[in-house]
Amino acid sequence: MHRTETVELLCADAWPAVTEDKVGDWRLRAASGFTGRANSALAVGDPGLPVAEALDRVCEFAHAHDIPPVAQAVVGSANERAIEAAGWVPKTDHAAGHLVSVLVGPLGTGADGVSFLPEPSAAWWELAAGTTEPAPAQRHVLTTGEVGYAVAEITAGAVRAAVAGGLLHVSRLAVRPQHRRRGLARALMAATGEWAAGRGATECVLQVAVDNAPALALYEALGFREHHQYRYWVPACEDRSL
């Protein structure tokens, strides 16, 4: 099993921000506000500075890129404890859920009715990103790297698959409401597994908000288990309207 820090770094590689910098091992990321993961400091490893000073750097980077300062830290880690001690608080207003379960599981097999597109179509963008005209940051985050764009039954469902360091990172799994409860989510997961196995992946990882019970139930049925959790943190006095 991969170490927690390794999993977080590989997930970050599979979900690249538009702009990145570093403070020691920490990654500072910005992508015009598109997703928390691409617009936060990944606080894993040694920042090379006292954590309070590293958080000042996080704030400086965020303000320079017109995004609110946010730190992503593994729950229960030394970094998270130090971030809390520095006066930061959980970002409970994060739209997608500030507390996230990172799940690992086997690669799926036996896909049927799923195809991979050479590049994302308008229908794929609509399902995966909620728009047929993605902004530059959306294009960068979702299409950079070794990425596959799977669709089920033409455009009934879609998913993003990315391989980084032997891990398949799955995200943006979506099925149109009128096509749900037909096994398309399972078919998409199976297809991504077969696609990723051909590119050297041996295991799958994905991230789900802890309050997303339907998704957690699906992935548990597919053999996934929780590897760890992470949480988003913000300065207590920060103006969150930025």
PDB file of all heavy atoms in Angstrom, residues 10 23 30 43 73 95 107 127 142-143 163 172 177 188 195 214 227 229 237 239:
ATOM      1  N   LEU A  10       0.661  11.923  -5.743  1.00  0.00           N
ATOM      2  CA  LEU A  10       0.254  11.358  -7.035  1.00  0.00           C
ATOM      3  C   LEU A  10      -1.103  11.884  -7.460  1.00  0.00           C
ATOM      4  O   LEU A  10      -1.335  12.146  -8.650  1.00  0.00           O
ATOM      5  CB  LEU A  10       0.255   9.827  -6.965  1.00  0.00           C
ATOM      6  CG  LEU A  10       1.634   9.174  -6.860  1.00  0.00           C
ATOM      7  CD1 LEU A  10       1.492   7.665  -6.686  1.00  0.00           C
ATOM      8  CD2 LEU A  10       2.475   9.483  -8.096  1.00  0.00           C
ATOM      9  N   VAL A  23       6.806  25.560  -1.143  1.00  0.00           N
ATOM     10  CA  VAL A  23       7.439  25.978   0.112  1.00  0.00           C
ATOM     11  C   VAL A  23       7.938  24.687   0.747  1.00  0.00           C
ATOM     12  O   VAL A  23       7.162  23.924   1.325  1.00  0.00           O
ATOM     13  CB  VAL A  23       6.451  26.692   1.049  1.00  0.00           C
ATOM     14  CG1 VAL A  23       7.127  26.985   2.383  1.00  0.00           C
ATOM     15  CG2 VAL A  23       5.964  27.988   0.422  1.00  0.00           C
ATOM     16  N   ALA A  30      -2.739  27.111  -7.957  1.00  0.00           N
ATOM     17  CA  ALA A  30      -3.789  28.050  -8.346  1.00  0.00           C
ATOM     18  C   ALA A  30      -4.303  27.677  -9.728  1.00  0.00           C
ATOM     19  O   ALA A  30      -3.528  27.300 -10.611  1.00  0.00           O
ATOM     20  CB  ALA A  30      -3.266  29.485  -8.356  1.00  0.00           C
ATOM     21  N   ALA A  43      -0.486  20.555   1.914  1.00  0.00           N
ATOM     22  CA  ALA A  43       0.407  20.598   3.073  1.00  0.00           C
ATOM     23  C   ALA A  43       0.823  19.195   3.490  1.00  0.00           C
ATOM     24  O   ALA A  43       0.397  18.674   4.528  1.00  0.00           O
ATOM     25  CB  ALA A  43      -0.271  21.328   4.229  1.00  0.00           C
ATOM     26  N   ALA A  73      -4.846  19.477   4.120  1.00  0.00           N
ATOM     27  CA  ALA A  73      -3.987  18.710   5.019  1.00  0.00           C
ATOM     28  C   ALA A  73      -4.624  17.370   5.355  1.00  0.00           C
ATOM     29  O   ALA A  73      -5.853  17.254   5.486  1.00  0.00           O
ATOM     30  CB  ALA A  73      -3.740  19.499   6.306  1.00  0.00           C
ATOM     31  N   ALA A  95     -17.936  24.173  -1.067  1.00  0.00           N
ATOM     32  CA  ALA A  95     -19.147  23.686  -1.735  1.00  0.00           C
ATOM     33  C   ALA A  95     -19.159  22.174  -1.928  1.00  0.00           C
ATOM     34  O   ALA A  95     -20.214  21.533  -1.794  1.00  0.00           O
ATOM     35  CB  ALA A  95     -19.299  24.382  -3.084  1.00  0.00           C
ATOM     36  N   LEU A 107      -8.418  -2.156  -9.833  1.00  0.00           N
ATOM     37  CA  LEU A 107      -8.804  -1.715 -11.164  1.00  0.00           C
ATOM     38  C   LEU A 107      -9.983  -2.543 -11.639  1.00  0.00           C
ATOM     39  O   LEU A 107     -10.021  -3.764 -11.479  1.00  0.00           O
ATOM     40  CB  LEU A 107      -7.642  -1.877 -12.145  1.00  0.00           C
ATOM     41  CG  LEU A 107      -6.375  -1.078 -11.847  1.00  0.00           C
ATOM     42  CD1 LEU A 107      -5.328  -1.359 -12.927  1.00  0.00           C
ATOM     43  CD2 LEU A 107      -6.657   0.407 -11.765  1.00  0.00           C
ATOM     44  N   LEU A 127     -21.191  16.853 -19.139  1.00  0.00           N
ATOM     45  CA  LEU A 127     -21.383  15.926 -18.029  1.00  0.00           C
ATOM     46  C   LEU A 127     -20.302  16.079 -16.967  1.00  0.00           C
ATOM     47  O   LEU A 127     -20.582  16.105 -15.766  1.00  0.00           O
ATOM     48  CB  LEU A 127     -21.393  14.486 -18.543  1.00  0.00           C
ATOM     49  CG  LEU A 127     -22.746  13.930 -18.959  1.00  0.00           C
ATOM     50  CD1 LEU A 127     -22.566  12.609 -19.689  1.00  0.00           C
ATOM     51  CD2 LEU A 127     -23.641  13.746 -17.742  1.00  0.00           C
ATOM     52  N   LEU A 142      -8.256  19.464 -16.391  1.00  0.00           N
ATOM     53  CA  LEU A 142      -8.900  18.212 -16.793  1.00  0.00           C
ATOM     54  C   LEU A 142      -8.256  17.527 -17.989  1.00  0.00           C
ATOM     55  O   LEU A 142      -8.554  16.353 -18.246  1.00  0.00           O
ATOM     56  CB  LEU A 142     -10.383  18.467 -17.085  1.00  0.00           C
ATOM     57  CG  LEU A 142     -11.223  18.905 -15.883  1.00  0.00           C
ATOM     58  CD1 LEU A 142     -12.665  19.122 -16.294  1.00  0.00           C
ATOM     59  CD2 LEU A 142     -11.147  17.882 -14.751  1.00  0.00           C
ATOM     60  N   THR A 143      -7.376  18.195 -18.708  1.00  0.00           N
ATOM     61  CA  THR A 143      -6.803  17.558 -19.900  1.00  0.00           C
ATOM     62  C   THR A 143      -5.295  17.421 -19.871  1.00  0.00           C
ATOM     63  O   THR A 143      -4.721  16.839 -20.797  1.00  0.00           O
ATOM     64  CB  THR A 143      -7.197  18.334 -21.179  1.00  0.00           C
ATOM     65  OG1 THR A 143      -6.587  19.630 -21.167  1.00  0.00           O
ATOM     66  CG2 THR A 143      -8.701  18.476 -21.299  1.00  0.00           C
ATOM     67  N   VAL A 163      -3.591   8.648 -15.189  1.00  0.00           N
ATOM     68  CA  VAL A 163      -2.596   7.752 -14.599  1.00  0.00           C
ATOM     69  C   VAL A 163      -1.390   8.568 -14.162  1.00  0.00           C
ATOM     70  O   VAL A 163      -0.853   9.373 -14.927  1.00  0.00           O
ATOM     71  CB  VAL A 163      -2.166   6.662 -15.602  1.00  0.00           C
ATOM     72  CG1 VAL A 163      -1.007   5.851 -15.039  1.00  0.00           C
ATOM     73  CG2 VAL A 163      -3.349   5.755 -15.928  1.00  0.00           C
ATOM     74  N   ARG A 172     -14.772  13.093 -11.690  1.00  0.00           N
ATOM     75  CA  ARG A 172     -15.816  13.610 -12.569  1.00  0.00           C
ATOM     76  C   ARG A 172     -16.724  12.511 -13.117  1.00  0.00           C
ATOM     77  O   ARG A 172     -17.200  12.599 -14.248  1.00  0.00           O
ATOM     78  CB  ARG A 172     -15.191  14.393 -13.719  1.00  0.00           C
ATOM     79  CG  ARG A 172     -14.394  15.601 -13.246  1.00  0.00           C
ATOM     80  CD  ARG A 172     -15.305  16.754 -12.918  1.00  0.00           C
ATOM     81  NE  ARG A 172     -14.739  17.656 -11.933  1.00  0.00           N
ATOM     82  CZ  ARG A 172     -15.226  18.855 -11.645  1.00  0.00           C
ATOM     83  NH1 ARG A 172     -16.288  19.305 -12.272  1.00  0.00           N
ATOM     84  NH2 ARG A 172     -14.681  19.600 -10.707  1.00  0.00           N
ATOM     85  N   PRO A 177     -29.413  11.830 -15.211  1.00  0.00           N
ATOM     86  CA  PRO A 177     -30.479  11.316 -14.326  1.00  0.00           C
ATOM     87  C   PRO A 177     -31.371  10.262 -14.966  1.00  0.00           C
ATOM     88  O   PRO A 177     -31.709   9.256 -14.326  1.00  0.00           O
ATOM     89  CB  PRO A 177     -31.268  12.581 -13.972  1.00  0.00           C
ATOM     90  CG  PRO A 177     -30.262  13.682 -14.062  1.00  0.00           C
ATOM     91  CD  PRO A 177     -29.367  13.313 -15.208  1.00  0.00           C
ATOM     92  N   LEU A 188     -18.469   2.396 -16.323  1.00  0.00           N
ATOM     93  CA  LEU A 188     -17.434   3.403 -16.500  1.00  0.00           C
ATOM     94  C   LEU A 188     -16.212   3.103 -15.643  1.00  0.00           C
ATOM     95  O   LEU A 188     -15.066   3.249 -16.090  1.00  0.00           O
ATOM     96  CB  LEU A 188     -17.981   4.785 -16.163  1.00  0.00           C
ATOM     97  CG  LEU A 188     -18.930   5.397 -17.205  1.00  0.00           C
ATOM     98  CD1 LEU A 188     -19.744   6.524 -16.593  1.00  0.00           C
ATOM     99  CD2 LEU A 188     -18.146   5.895 -18.418  1.00  0.00           C
ATOM    100  N   TRP A 195      -8.471   0.533 -19.191  1.00  0.00           N
ATOM    101  CA  TRP A 195      -7.662   1.545 -19.878  1.00  0.00           C
ATOM    102  C   TRP A 195      -6.374   1.807 -19.102  1.00  0.00           C
ATOM    103  O   TRP A 195      -5.287   1.882 -19.676  1.00  0.00           O
ATOM    104  CB  TRP A 195      -8.496   2.820 -20.008  1.00  0.00           C
ATOM    105  CG  TRP A 195      -7.770   4.000 -20.576  1.00  0.00           C
ATOM    106  CD1 TRP A 195      -7.618   4.313 -21.895  1.00  0.00           C
ATOM    107  CD2 TRP A 195      -7.107   5.042 -19.835  1.00  0.00           C
ATOM    108  NE1 TRP A 195      -6.899   5.485 -22.023  1.00  0.00           N
ATOM    109  CE2 TRP A 195      -6.581   5.953 -20.777  1.00  0.00           C
ATOM    110  CE3 TRP A 195      -6.931   5.294 -18.481  1.00  0.00           C
ATOM    111  CZ2 TRP A 195      -5.870   7.090 -20.402  1.00  0.00           C
ATOM    112  CZ3 TRP A 195      -6.222   6.425 -18.105  1.00  0.00           C
ATOM    113  CH2 TRP A 195      -5.699   7.305 -19.066  1.00  0.00           C
ATOM    114  N   PRO A 214     -24.282   8.021  -1.308  1.00  0.00           N
ATOM    115  CA  PRO A 214     -24.464   7.155  -2.486  1.00  0.00           C
ATOM    116  C   PRO A 214     -23.151   6.785  -3.162  1.00  0.00           C
ATOM    117  O   PRO A 214     -22.943   5.625  -3.548  1.00  0.00           O
ATOM    118  CB  PRO A 214     -25.356   8.001  -3.402  1.00  0.00           C
ATOM    119  CG  PRO A 214     -26.087   8.915  -2.485  1.00  0.00           C
ATOM    120  CD  PRO A 214     -25.097   9.256  -1.416  1.00  0.00           C
ATOM    121  N   HIS A 227      -8.405   5.014   2.576  1.00  0.00           N
ATOM    122  CA  HIS A 227      -6.968   5.043   2.828  1.00  0.00           C
ATOM    123  C   HIS A 227      -6.638   6.097   3.886  1.00  0.00           C
ATOM    124  O   HIS A 227      -5.877   5.850   4.812  1.00  0.00           O
ATOM    125  CB  HIS A 227      -6.238   5.344   1.518  1.00  0.00           C
ATOM    126  CG  HIS A 227      -4.752   5.230   1.593  1.00  0.00           C
ATOM    127  ND1 HIS A 227      -3.941   6.259   2.030  1.00  0.00           N
ATOM    128  CD2 HIS A 227      -3.915   4.206   1.274  1.00  0.00           C
ATOM    129  CE1 HIS A 227      -2.675   5.877   1.976  1.00  0.00           C
ATOM    130  NE2 HIS A 227      -2.626   4.636   1.509  1.00  0.00           N
ATOM    131  N   GLN A 229      -8.169  10.485   5.148  1.00  0.00           N
ATOM    132  CA  GLN A 229      -9.017  11.631   4.876  1.00  0.00           C
ATOM    133  C   GLN A 229      -8.164  12.893   4.819  1.00  0.00           C
ATOM    134  O   GLN A 229      -7.097  12.960   5.428  1.00  0.00           O
ATOM    135  CB  GLN A 229     -10.087  11.802   5.963  1.00  0.00           C
ATOM    136  CG  GLN A 229     -11.109  10.678   6.030  1.00  0.00           C
ATOM    137  CD  GLN A 229     -12.160  10.935   7.113  1.00  0.00           C
ATOM    138  OE1 GLN A 229     -12.057  11.861   7.907  1.00  0.00           O
ATOM    139  NE2 GLN A 229     -13.181  10.080   7.140  1.00  0.00           N
ATOM    140  N   CYS A 237      -9.454  34.728  10.054  1.00  0.00           N
ATOM    141  CA  CYS A 237      -9.846  36.117   9.791  1.00  0.00           C
ATOM    142  C   CYS A 237      -9.910  36.409   8.292  1.00  0.00           C
ATOM    143  O   CYS A 237     -10.076  37.561   7.893  1.00  0.00           O
ATOM    144  CB  CYS A 237      -8.884  37.083  10.459  1.00  0.00           C
ATOM    145  SG  CYS A 237      -7.173  36.902   9.898  1.00  0.00           S
ATOM    146  N   ASP A 239     -10.995  37.076   4.543  1.00  0.00           N
ATOM    147  CA  ASP A 239     -12.186  37.499   3.808  1.00  0.00           C
ATOM    148  C   ASP A 239     -12.457  36.468   2.731  1.00  0.00           C
ATOM    149  O   ASP A 239     -11.765  36.408   1.720  1.00  0.00           O
ATOM    150  CB  ASP A 239     -11.948  38.871   3.180  1.00  0.00           C
ATOM    151  CG  ASP A 239     -13.160  39.349   2.388  1.00  0.00           C
ATOM    152  OD1 ASP A 239     -14.144  38.588   2.284  1.00  0.00           O
ATOM    153  OD2 ASP A 239     -13.119  40.478   1.883  1.00  0.00           O
TER     154      ASP A 239
END
